[in-house]
Each structure stands twice: as C-alpha cells, then as structure tokens.
Amino acid sequence: MSLQRIVRVSLEHPTSAVCVVGVETLVDIYGSVPEGTEMFEVYGTPGVDVYISPSMERGRERADTRRWHFDTGLEIIVVMNSPSNDLNDSHVQISYHSSHEPLPLAYAVLYLTCVDIALDCDLNCEGRQDRSYVDKRQWVWGPRGYGAVLLVNCDRDDVTCYDQDNCDRHVNCLQDLEDMSVMVLRTQGPAALFDDHKLILHTSSYDAKWARVFHACGPEDSCEAYRHVLGQDKVSYEVPRFHGDEERFFVEGLSFPDARFTGLVSFHVTLLDDSNEDFSESPIFTDTVVFRVAPWIMTPSTLPPLEVYVCQVRNNTCFVDAVAELARKAGCKLTVCPQKENRNDRWIQDEMELGYVQAPHKTFPVVFDSPRNGELQDFPYKRILGPDFGYVTREPQDSSVSGLDSFGNLEVSPPVVADGKEYPLGRILIGGNLPGSSGRRVTQVVRDFLYAQRVQPPVELFVDWLAVGHVDEFLSFVPAPDGKGFRMLLASPSACFKLFQEKQKWGHGRALLFKGVVGDKPVHTVSINQVLSNVNLISYNKFVQSCIDWNREVLKRELGLTERDIVDIPQLFKTERKKAVAFFPDLVNMLVLGKHLGIPKPFGPIINGQCCLEEKVRSLLEPLGLHCTFIDDFTPYHMLHGEVHCGTNVRRQPFSFKWWNMVP
C-alpha cells in the first residue's frame, strides 16, 4: 500500500527519491518557485508516467500534453511501472515559465530509483474469474472470495518430541514445514539501493500472539536453516538479502479462533530510507498480507467413516468384538484403547471429538480433547496426537466442568438450509438448560471456542432434564438416499407407547422386556401390560416427550427440517434423582458407519420369535438402505447410563466442501 509519499524538489540542487513500482509519488514543486512564475512544464524520461491532477472534479491528465498554469491546487503525480537497473537512472524535469520571458526561469530535476517490493502468499482465489487484482489487506469469504489460510500447527511431526509443533520456536523436522503457509518477499531493483535502505518484516504485538514466522536463511533441506523471526515476543525483523530477489518465510498458526481472537493475522513489510544520517529512518512503502487461521471443523455421522475407536475394559470383550465386526463390514480401521491406558474408563465418545483443519495445501485431522478429564484423559494427547494428527483442548480456570462438558453432548448436523441461510458444513449441537433457567450448561471456554470457529454455528438444545445430559441420548443422524440426504432420529416415548399398545391389542401384553439379559446382576423382566399400567412411568414419559418436543421444534427451525426429515424411534425413560435415564437400551445412541448401524440391543418384548422393538427400528431404517446390527451393551454400558455411541468414537472423511467458500 502507498504511504502517500511526498517528495519536494529544489532549485538549488537535484533531488533524489525512491519509488515503488505501480505506487504513486506526489511531487511538491511549490516549496522553491522562481519569482514571476506563471506556468510550468513537466517531462519524464521513458518509463516514467507523470500526471497532473487539476482538481477532484476533473480527475487527472498526462503532464506532457501542454504547459500548465501555476496553481497551488495542482498535484503532480509520478508513477513508474518497472524497476530501475541502476540508482537514479530515471528522472522528472520541471521547467518554470513566465509570459514575459522567452526562456524558462529555472529548472528542477528529480532523480528516481524504482524498486518492486511485494509480500506474497497463496491468496486462494481459485473461484475468482478476475484474479488480476485482489486486496491482500482484506480477507473475503465466499466462492468469489480470497485470502490466505493459516493452519494451527497443532500436530507432532517429530515423534521424538513430546510437545506439539506449535509449542516451540524450532523446526524439528522438514515434514513440519508442510503444515505451514509460505510467504514470499520479492524485491527487484538496484542492489546498491539496500546499502542505505532497509526492509523490515513486522506485525503487531497482538497478532504476534497467534502466529509464528520462520525465515529460510540457508539450504531449505536443513532444519537448522529455519530461523524464528516473528511471533510471540518478536514483532519486527530486518530482512537480510540471503537469496537476492526472493526470501521465503514459513508461517504457522499458534492458536485457533477464540473469544479473544478473530482468526485474522496481518504481516507487513516496510521499506525504510536510512540514507540521511541527520534524520531518523523514514518509511517509503508498506505491503501487507492477511491470513485467516483455519477453523476446527466437526464431521457429522453421515460422512464416510475412516477409523473407529473403542476401549477394552474388564467386562466388554463381546462388545468390542461386535464393534470390530461392524467396522470390518464398513471397511474401517479399528483402534482399541487397552485397559492399561483407559484404566477402565470406557466412555471414549465423552473424552474427545474428532474433527479436522484444512488449507488449500494441506488437510489433517485434529482431536478436540474434552475437559471432563476422566481416566482416559491422557489418551488423546499420548496416543492420537502425532504426525499429521493435531490436538486441541480447552480447560476452564475454575472447577466449572459438569457432565455436559463431555463430548457425547457435542454433535453436528449434516449440511442444512434454514430460513434461506445455507450451512454447508452443518451446525454444531450442544446441550444446556432452558433459556433463562439456572441449570447445567457447557463450560464457557468450550462454548467460546465452538462459536468462534464460525463455520458451524452452534444450536443450543435443552438437555438438563437428562441425568447424564447429552444430546446423543435423544437424537442422531443417519444417511438417506433421498430428501436432504439424511434423517434425524429422535427418541420417542409416544412412539413406544403406541407400539406397545398395538402389541397389547393383538394379545401380546404378557410379552417380556429384558428377557435374555446376561450380566453380573440379575435384571427383572417386565411385561408390556406392566409398562402400560405403570401410571408413574407413563406420566414421567409424557414429561420426557414434552422436553424432546421442545427440542424438536428448535431443531426444525434452526436446521430447516420438516416432519419428513425426522424419524421417531420408540424409546422409554425412567427417573433417577429427578432426571431421566433410558428405561431400556437407548436405541438412538447408535454407531453410524456409512450404511451400517450399530444399535444398542433393546431386549424388548419377543413376539413371534422377534424383538418387537428391533423389528420396528428395522422397518423404519432399512427402507433407507441401512443395515441394522443390534449390539448387546446392556451390562458394560447401559447399566452405567451409556450406550454404543457413548462407548465408541469415529474419525470420518472431511467435507468435500471447502470452508472458505461459505459465507458465515
């Protein structure tokens, strides 16, 4: 950008000035004018364009077309469009005239040296038809937008290191550079100019908190060549000309967008004139680039699965085997966290959420470690963090963590359109209390982080009626071949009572729930007749249904859903300490692996040799091309108030849609 540099010419001696390719320089001829001057002429040597701007209304004209009446309102503008070969190899000559004299009264000469200076990076403007001009000082969202993207370098490419790559000021291995964005400083012009001029790369003390810059000061195949020059306590750097016309810098993000950080970081290069020993350095030109730190992005259960995680604990061998078989059918990798690492903490869904970050040059998964900090707390950092697998967490300073901060309470919808607004990456779903009430909520630091990512604007649901308090206890999403490409499944006491009433009507009221459950403790069976005659159970489930219906309306409004997009899955709840828990294994709390569903085995009433709950779920989901596998999680999970989804986690393919093409 131009600093509106003004150069004053003198009659006593020639003046020299430095200008930058394509940048206007204003020439002040009024400081030293011969007495009697009425007119003047201005000429430039080849390659120097000189314009006169008589007024704001008239715009500008080329200066060499005529003689100009001397008027203090005139501006002389000089522009050069190619760099000089030598110092002072171009000039502008001004001649002063009087109507009473045939010859000029005097001459003034301005010698010019032109340099080309540009701070460049990948502006990611592939969607623009006109790439000839973009303002590097701006970052523009949308398919026709542009702007450089910066990844938070939160993985650990050197496996011999303990910390993440963005935690130190060194390049520990060359693979680390692949996670950084390249910034190039290009200069063209006489080398002698830099004997008394400096190039300063700089940023603000605020922006220095969020990014770090390395300068390639030697052979780029050596880690020692990369010097930390900007970021944290370093806000400026005098650029030595190691490589002549081009110096390469590598930029890494240090932090994701958050409450105190919008995600934008600016870097500048300024040309300073240090030629006059009697004066301080003066700026000639500054160029600026702006990066946006890539957000952390969640993946909905409708995206193709890549890897399934499950914990091996004391009493879940059959469960792990069933999950392994489902992963095999879906073509997924399986990772089992052994008991010595999980210390009998089986709730791997609650411990972490698997998402990703993306720039035009690189995409890699990032695990978001929840603040719940159970016995699994070391697993994300010690086992998942690694080469091209990043890590992020948010922990409150106080003891405000509740059960709602487990990531079974963190889900994301598939892409939706609501009230005319497109959400091509879906919307995050988190649970809390009712507006204006004083129940449990997700801790502020996690909420701030999720909202700050901007590309998946959160929707807050009502979950404080649940004992555990997680959104995955009453909803899930499955892929579908029609409509919006998915269905939202909602737990429904009403649908369950309706099903049981139908079975009772057909003479199956004595059919038993929980028959065949095998576990450490005996489980009492209960008949359909007993369920339908239990006034307290019916009354409580009417309350539960009202809570789910409240969320149903919020979801329809915020996700743009209709009733055709929703499938009601039969489910009953019971009360423990005035909060709801699943009466039988929670059917919506399922593992979704493409078309393969791992659903908690409900142990419902057996009628004509089939569980009527399983039969009903199959009738609802199999027409969508889905394959239902019912997994026995009763003793190792359901009895502890969790189910299949709570005990598993999935890394999925990133969206094909690029986040920078959306408009938040």
Side-chain angles (χ1 to χ4, degrees), residues 430-648:
I430 55 176
N433 53 21
L434 285 172
S437 64
S438 58
R440 297 169 293 171
R441 295 189 80 187
V442 174
T443 190
Q444 191 65 46
V445 291
V446 172
R447 287 160 46 81
D448 287 345
F449 175 82
L450 296 174
Y451 277 91
Q453 306 315 303
R454 297 190 63 186
V455 296
Q456 297 173 309
V459 177
E460 297 197 41
L461 301 174
F462 174 38
V463 301
D464 200 31
W465 52 277
L466 288 156
V468 177
H470 294 173
V471 292
D472 69 352
E473 295 179 79
F474 66 90
L475 69 82
S476 61
F477 296 92
V478 295
D482 56 3
K484 294 180 172 65
F486 68 89
R487 295 289 192 275
M488 182 175 71
L489 311 185
L490 287 181
S492 175
S494 295
C496 190
F497 282 127
K498 181 180 178 182
L499 175 66
F500 284 180
Q501 287 165 354
E502 290 175 354
K503 300 304 179 185
Q504 184 187 55
K505 179 180 178 181
W506 288 98
H508 302 295
R510 298 171 67 179
L512 299 175
L513 286 87
F514 310 131
K515 188 176 181 180
V517 172
V518 177
D520 300 334
K521 299 178 181 180
V523 177
H524 298 292
T525 57
V526 58
S527 69
I528 290 177
N529 288 337
Q530 288 174 308
V531 169
L532 295 179
S533 63
N534 189 327
V535 176
N536 291 334
L537 184 66
I538 293 172
S539 175
Y540 189 71
N541 274 275
K542 286 182 178 179
F543 161 74
V544 168
Q545 187 67 61
S546 70
C547 295
I548 294 174
D549 287 345
W550 192 92
N551 287 308
R552 185 191 201 96
E553 294 306 311
V554 172
L555 289 160
K556 286 168 66 175
R557 181 178 68 248
E558 298 296 335
L559 302 184
L561 304 181
T562 66
E563 287 298 322
R564 292 191 299 273
D565 305 313
I566 302 171
V567 178
D568 290 307
I569 301 296
Q571 185 64 49
L572 294 181
F573 294 83
K574 60 184 179 180
T575 179
E576 286 191 7
R577 299 178 184 177
K578 298 183 178 180
K579 301 287 186 180
V581 297
F583 182 70
F584 52 80
D586 192 346
L587 291 161
V588 298
N589 193 276
M590 64 180 65
L591 174 62
V592 181
L593 301 179
K595 294 182 178 181
H596 297 274
L597 309 181
I599 305 171
K601 185 175 181 62
F603 289 95
I606 303 297
I607 298 173
N608 298 326
Q610 291 191 42
C611 169
C612 68
L613 288 169
E614 291 186 19
E615 184 180 42
K616 181 63 176 180
V617 170
R618 289 185 190 277
S619 72
L620 293 170
L621 300 183
E622 289 185 348
L624 300 174
L626 302 171
H627 306 288
C628 300
T629 298
F630 292 91
I631 297 175
D632 182 358
D633 71 350
F634 201 100
T635 298
Y637 294 91
H638 174 70
M639 295 291 286
L640 300 174
H641 301 328
E643 310 290 355
V644 174
H645 185 259
C646 305
T648 56

